[in-house]
Amino acid sequence: MASARPTLRDIAEATGISEAAVSMSLRGLPGVSEQTRQRVTQVAAELGYSRNLAASTLAASRSGLIGVVVGDLHNPFFADLSDAISAVAEANGLRVLLGTGHYDRRRELDALETFRDLRADGVIIVGTRIGAKAIEAIDAQMPVVAAACLPRASKLDRVVVDDRRGGRVATEHLIELGHTDIAHIHGGAGAGGRERLAGFRDAMAAAGLRDHRVVGGGFTAEVGAKAAVELSAEPPTGVVACSDVVAWGAIAELGRLGIAVPDEISVVGYDNSSIAAPVGDYLTTIDGDRATLGRRSVELLLDRLDGRTDPVLEVVAPRLVTRNSTRPTPPAKEAS
């Protein structure tokens, strides 16, 4: 029997359809059949469900604030994603509070706890390193959605890029251009770092190539520059960087060392952030679709506030954006 204020769970129980599918049907989102959509709409009407009515009923207990905790605003992808989240949140009448931990778990957790103390309606975490137990403890008090990171918290709503696929696509691009001596500058423990490294290794193994040239261990320009120095003793013909920031750090240092990109080394970035092509059409990169990440993270949070309880994991497919930092293998390397 439905409660006095029908929720997504009530509709799910009445139809035998998951809460996620119910939410998608009511929002008019793709991914459900027309038959499912009609069934959900019919039962919602019979139960007297109204999303706007639910929101107004809860307005007195809501602050209209949501928190966004970002791993590091120095990474332009996270800054760009925060902008996308803010735009969608504001379009839904929410105000956004922003906090950053600079990849420090304690500081990130402090930001989460501050938003809780300010009675935020919910929080979106972006690329953070907060542990699953700590996140779940906060989620028990206010809804938490993870965007662009995949904490081991199975009860949490998460919307992420398929970074393993992205790492593979970036590497396959160089292989298709004839490169066989390819290095990877990895992101270490940062969000997506392990997955992008795994994708690099998947592509190299599938092509029968060695994947021993892995350097780095972070998402900063300094990591890229240091990796470039390390690789310069015996330069590869191609480099897959774990982010655009790292790629630019490597490119700048390679230039200082007299190694031209892309004439001598092709470089692929990752994220298609605002610095990928600030002037002209330069850095080949992997696009993580931050617009979808931002929109869906807010929508998932709104669904939670409307009563959905079952966790949702959405995976966004990355795509290659080809620009001018990559080219076929230099002739000198082909002869060696």
Side-chain angles (χ1 to χ4, degrees), residues 57-140:
T57 302
L58 291 172
S61 61
R62 290 188 186 176
S63 65
L65 301 173
I66 66 168
V68 178
V69 181
V70 181
D72 184 11
L73 281 173
H74 290 95
N75 185 326
F77 174 77
F78 291 151
D80 295 343
L81 178 52
S82 297
D83 286 345
I85 290 171
S86 295
V88 178
E90 290 166 6
N92 282 274
L94 299 169
R95 290 173 293 167
V96 175
L97 302 174
L98 184 64
T100 182
H102 304 290
Y103 289 129
D104 183 304
R105 294 184 184 185
R106 181 65 255 173
R107 293 176 66 180
E108 291 170 353
L109 187 57
D110 286 344
L112 268 179
E113 293 172 345
T114 296
F115 293 149
R116 179 197 60 196
D117 293 343
L118 291 172
R119 301 181 63 81
D121 296 326
V123 175
I124 298 172
I125 59 174
V126 178
T128 72
R129 299 184 183 183
I130 305 171
K133 289 184 179 179
I135 295 174
E136 289 176 341
I138 295 290
D139 186 58

Side-chain angles (χ1 to χ4, degrees), residues 277-290:
V279 179
D281 190 23
Y282 188 67
L283 185 62
T284 295
T285 186
I286 297 295
D287 191 312
D289 196 357
R290 57 184 175 273

Side-chain angles (χ1 to χ4, degrees), residues 8 11 17-29 32 37 40 49 51 296 299-300 302-304 306 308 312:
L8 294 176
I11 301 172
I17 298 169
S18 71
E19 288 183 51
V22 167
S23 173
M24 293 169 68
S25 298
L26 292 174
R27 288 183 180 278
L29 298 175
V32 295
R37 196 182 310 279
V40 167
Y49 175 87
R51 187 174 188 282
R296 288 301 295 143
E299 289 174 347
L300 290 173
L302 289 171
D303 286 348
R304 285 285 305 279
D306 274 354
R308 177 179 54 78
V312 172

